Amino acid sequence: MFKSSAPLEKIWTGAPVSNGVAHAVVHVLKDQFDEPDQDSIMPDMVAAEMARLHAALDVTRQEIEELQRVMGGESGSAESEIFETHLLILQDSTILKQTEKTVREQCVCVDWAYYKLMCKHMNALRGLDDAYLRERFLDVKDVTQRVMRHLRGELMQHPMFDEPVIVVAHDLTPSDTVQLDRSKVLGFAVETGSTVSHAAIIARSLAIPAVVKLHGICEELHSGDTVLLDGEGGLLILNPTAETLARYRSREEQAERREDVFQLERHAQAQTVCGRPICVGVNAEFVEEAEIVQDCGAEEVGLFRTEFLHMENPNATEDDLAESYSRVVRSLAPKRVVFRTLDLGGDKVDERLALEPEPNPFLGWRGIRLSLGLKPLFKRQLRALLRAGMHGSVGIMFPMVSGVQEVLEAKAILSECADELTAEGVDVPDEIEVGAMIEIPSAALSADLIAAEVDFLSLGTNDLIQYTIAVDRLNDRVAGLYQPTHPAVLRLIGMSVQAARSAGIRIGMCGEMASDLTLTPLMIGLGLNELSVASTQVARVKHAVRRLAVKECEELAALAAKQTSPTEILHLSRAVAERCYPELFE
Ligand code: PEP
Ligand code: MG
């Protein structure tokens, strides 16, 4: 008897964050700033290696100069001086000469020679007593990271896959996600992350499976391995056997048949059994999602996260942006598209903008704070959005608002942009709806003041929960405390709804809580008539709405308000949900 040489099946269990099943080879994403390999080169390759370095230095220079423009720092200002220093480091002829010497004498690739030399400089600076010189360590580090990225071609073009792949990563940041060739990504398998991490949110928008908390996969998996990713069961299966594949195929066929039933009425408006219309919109991040949005049955795009387009092409001009936004608006008209202005910062880091790492990025220079601080960048976006507003129904929404003053400041800049465009002879809409996100407790607590200044509010519960309970939405260790049904969160939602009602303006919810079918009864009971959800959830949320009565939902909300335990509130809502639409929980 011969022993079977079939590779062994191995299963990892993680946390499911986006449904679906994918069977494909994996592509393992490497950490960006590992020490480069000390690859040998032939003596006649020195000139070609140095040409690679010069090309990388050139792109980095353009990048820093563009940053200098966007940041709008006055010459002589602290910001401007930092960029000047970076440009000097970049152009230092001694560094170039020493790198070339190493490449020539040791016959090694330029990546390694440059990296080693810059590390030597960093180590020398790090040990100095002089605080000013010690600070220069960060400058050298920043420049080195930029150059290394370009040397590896990581930002010059998207990592290309020849075939469709499942992406495996330790930590898939939003900026990693935008650099992928998404047309070839069939799923995400990640070691860290949470339901509300942006990789999970994007997977749901793109309707591909994703599983997080798959500990140890980066160590054991290699690009090219074949796996099956089960986004519902939270499993990653290496070398699935024929039996496993057959089991999944039959399960998938059943799921498809069930799904077909929910999908039948997806394009019709959703009304509760007592006739209250509930607007079910969709969240989106990329231009290419327009087709998914059209097909999923959403009535509008309740949240378009523009920072992903920005990270895809940080150097986009106003014309480029106007074109991208207009394409989205035109392809979805007459549906309304609510564009959220850049919510950079937190985990959505544009490494080219961040001057220095922040100790607490989620409490730092994020969202509207960053936009108000970088007026040229903000104006470029607002002007582009106003121009896109000529092609259909557009709303502009400000993220991470902590109080009404920021809204007033942002609105003033928006008016300034509209006046400038008009003076330049460019058409802008007579009216454009302006909204604010409620995702910081201070905003919810002053929602009445904000509501007086805007046309609509949108509850961003992903952040509202983390800031209310002081629990990092990405931190595995405190994930158990991330409770959407915490009484404090529900009170803030209730207050915001009341404030919007008193002001006679609309209020919706675009955080992931709106996609959670167990919470739909509670959300309707709290008075929400607009839910913006993941594309894969639109038909299901509509199906749920059609089976709920407002009176029962309001009674549920009243009962929930008397509870002390988040789990008990969750159970109460789930009980209503399971009774009214059990088929969605099969
Ligand atoms: C939110 O915080 O709920 C939200 C929609 O914004 P993001 O998830 O992009 O932070
Ligand atoms: Mg948010």
Side-chain angles (χ1 to χ4, degrees):
M1 285 284 286
F2 291 108
K3 258 191 157 174
S4 160
S5 59
L8 281 184
E9 184 176 274
K10 172 158 186 178
I11 303 178
W12 283 266
T13 305
V17 292
S18 181
N19 287 347
V21 172
H23 175 216
V25 293
V26 298
H27 178 91
V28 183
L29 283 187
K30 288 270 178 334
D31 200 3
Q32 278 194 351
F33 300 113
D34 286 345
E35 176 172 335
D37 291 334
Q38 190 181 354
D39 290 335
S40 304
I41 59 159
M42 302 300 284
D44 62 357
M45 286 166 68
V46 175
E49 283 296 280
M50 289 310 291
R52 276 206 310 119
L53 178 60
H54 281 287
L57 293 173
D58 213 37
V59 188
T60 312
R61 180 183 48 75
Q62 288 167 23
E63 191 177 283
I64 296 174
E65 284 171 354
E66 167 63 13
L67 252 182
Q68 219 168 2
R69 239 175 5 97
V70 167
M71 305 282 281
E74 306 278 312
S75 127
S77 69
E79 279 144 29
S80 176
E81 258 179 41
I82 290 170
F83 292 126
E84 291 303 331
T85 311
H86 287 195
L87 288 171
L88 286 177
I89 297 168
L90 200 66
Q91 287 153 1
D92 189 311
S93 59
T94 320
I95 290 175
L96 279 176
K97 275 191 206 129
Q98 285 177 352
T99 306
E100 181 169 11
K101 188 164 175 269
T102 310
V103 172
R104 193 166 6 87
E105 290 179 357
Q106 298 185 30
C107 283
V108 285
C109 65
V110 77
D111 313 49
W112 188 82
Y114 184 77
Y115 180 85
K116 278 291 171 192
L117 180 62
M118 297 309 268
C119 284
K120 205 168 111 194
H121 288 301
M122 279 187 257
N123 288 336
L125 287 168
R126 214 192 322 227
L128 293 178
D129 287 339
D130 184 300
Y132 173 81
L133 289 175
R134 253 200 335 265
E135 277 289 295
R136 302 285 68 79
F137 157 77
L138 286 176
D139 294 325
V140 179
K141 185 170 166 216
D142 190 276
V143 170
T144 308
Q145 288 185 334
R146 287 175 198 277
V147 174
M148 291 310 296
R149 243 181 5 231
H150 289 305
L151 262 178
R152 295 173 192 198
E154 275 163 5
L155 287 182
M156 288 180 184
Q157 62 189 80
H158 295 176
M160 293 302 288
F161 319 118
D162 298 333
E163 53 189 340
V165 292
I166 291 168
V167 171
V168 168
H170 172 67
D171 176 20
L172 200 56
T173 65
S175 69
D176 293 330
T177 321
V178 296
Q179 286 170 50
L180 299 170
D181 176 2
R182 287 182 299 280
S183 66
K184 295 220 176 68
V185 176
L186 298 179
F188 294 141
V190 190
E191 288 188 333
T192 58
S194 69
T195 320
V196 286
S197 59
H198 283 96
I201 289 172
I202 285 178
R204 289 193 289 268
S205 285
L206 299 176
I208 56 173
V211 180
V212 299
K213 298 188 192 172
L214 288 162
H215 303 294
I217 53 170
C218 288
E219 271 285 294
E220 291 199 47
L221 291 177
H222 302 282
S223 293
D225 286 346
T226 301
V227 302
L228 184 139
L229 182 69
D230 171 0
E232 198 150 1
L235 303 178
L236 179 76
I237 307 177
L238 172 65
N239 303 321
T241 61
E243 296 85 72
T244 302
L245 292 175
R247 198 172 62 244
Y248 269 94
R249 245 191 314 275
S250 95
R251 225 197 272 175
E252 239 180 307
E253 279 161 17
Q254 275 177 22
E256 268 166 28
R257 274 196 297 275
R258 263 205 317 269
E259 195 62 30
D260 285 348
V261 178
F262 310 137
Q263 297 292 336
L264 279 177
E265 289 185 297
R266 69 186 186 281
H267 289 295
Q269 196 205 38
Q271 289 195 355
T272 58
V273 285
C274 45
R276 179 182 292 177
I278 304 288
C279 172
V280 182
V282 68
N283 298 343
E285 289 82 24
F286 300 104
V287 177
E288 78 249 22
E289 278 174 67
E291 213 176 299
I292 299 180
V293 170
Q294 280 292 17
D295 188 54
C296 73
E299 286 167 57
E300 64 169 16
V301 176
L303 165 66
F304 192 100
R305 294 179 164 95
T306 60
E307 55 277 6
F308 289 87
L309 277 187
H310 168 87
M311 291 191 286
E312 218 167 28
N313 181 10
N315 298 328
T317 61
E318 177 188 319
D319 284 350
D320 298 334
L321 290 179
E323 173 52 29
S324 301
Y325 299 151
S326 302
R327 257 174 62 203
V328 175
V329 175
R330 270 196 304 262
S331 59
L332 296 177
K335 292 188 205 306
R336 181 174 80 130
V337 182
V338 176
F339 288 97
R340 179 175 74 180
T341 61
L342 291 176
D343 184 18
L344 291 169
D347 61 334
K348 290 173 281 193
V349 183
D350 175 353
E351 276 157 4
R352 305 165 206 223
L353 284 181
L355 290 177
E356 276 177 26
E358 295 181 284
N360 292 303
F362 275 101
L363 300 180
W365 212 39
R366 189 187 161 187
I368 196 67
R369 303 169 183 179
L370 184 143
S371 289
L372 292 174
L374 298 178
K375 204 168 162 192
L377 182 74
F378 194 31
K379 284 183 75 173
R380 179 163 80 185
Q381 173 167 48
L382 291 177
R383 285 170 60 101
L385 286 173
L386 285 165
R387 287 166 59 181
M390 292 306 292
H391 300 280
S393 172
V394 164
I396 297 180
M397 175 158 80
F398 303 123
M400 288 297 293
V401 163
S402 60
V404 69
Q405 287 305 319
E406 286 158 342
V407 175
L408 292 173
E409 223 182 302
K411 275 176 59 180
I413 298 174
L414 181 63
S415 299
E416 193 180 309
C417 291
D419 291 346
E420 282 171 10
L421 284 166
T422 308
E424 291 162 27
V426 180
D427 288 336
V428 295
D430 294 334
E431 296 268 314
I432 198 144
E433 289 195 310
V434 174
M437 288 202 59
I438 302 293
E439 48 188 343
I440 300 181
S442 60
L445 292 165
S446 56
D448 55 332
L449 305 179
I450 297 172
E453 298 298 335
V454 294
D455 303 303
F456 64 93
L457 298 176
S458 184
L459 284 152
T461 48
N462 305 339
D463 280 312
L464 186 62
I465 297 165
Q466 82 163 340
Y467 292 127
T468 304
I469 315 179
V471 52
D472 182 345
R473 65 194 259 191
L474 304 176
N475 186 340
D476 206 9
R477 216 173 289 168
V478 288
L481 292 172
Y482 190 90
Q483 292 170 310
T485 47
H486 191 295
V489 174
L490 298 182
R491 284 182 195 186
L492 292 176
I493 293 174
M495 282 180 70
S496 308
V497 171
Q498 288 313 322
R501 257 196 209 151
S502 304
I505 63 165
R506 292 195 330 259
I507 180 162
M509 177 181 283
C510 62
E512 294 303 298
M513 212 170 154
S515 294
D516 186 341
L517 294 163
T518 55
L519 298 180
T520 315
L522 190 54
M523 296 305 103
I524 292 180
L526 284 169
L528 283 162
N529 298 330
E530 294 180 19
L531 301 171
S532 190
V533 306
S535 62
T536 45
Q537 289 298 88
V538 172
R540 293 161 158 260
V541 172
K542 283 189 168 184
H543 182 93
V545 165
R546 293 187 183 111
R547 278 147 191 86
L548 289 168
V550 173
K551 189 160 174 291
E552 187 181 7
C553 293
E554 285 176 349
E555 282 165 7
L556 165 70
L559 186 59
K562 295 191 189 126
Q563 309 302 313
T564 51
S565 145
T567 317
E568 184 52 32
I569 298 173
L570 178 62
H571 287 159
L572 288 172
S573 188
R574 179 182 271 274
V576 176
E578 285 182 348
R579 182 162 38 76
C580 295
Y581 39 91
E583 60 282 6
L584 285 177
F585 298 99
E586 276 166 14

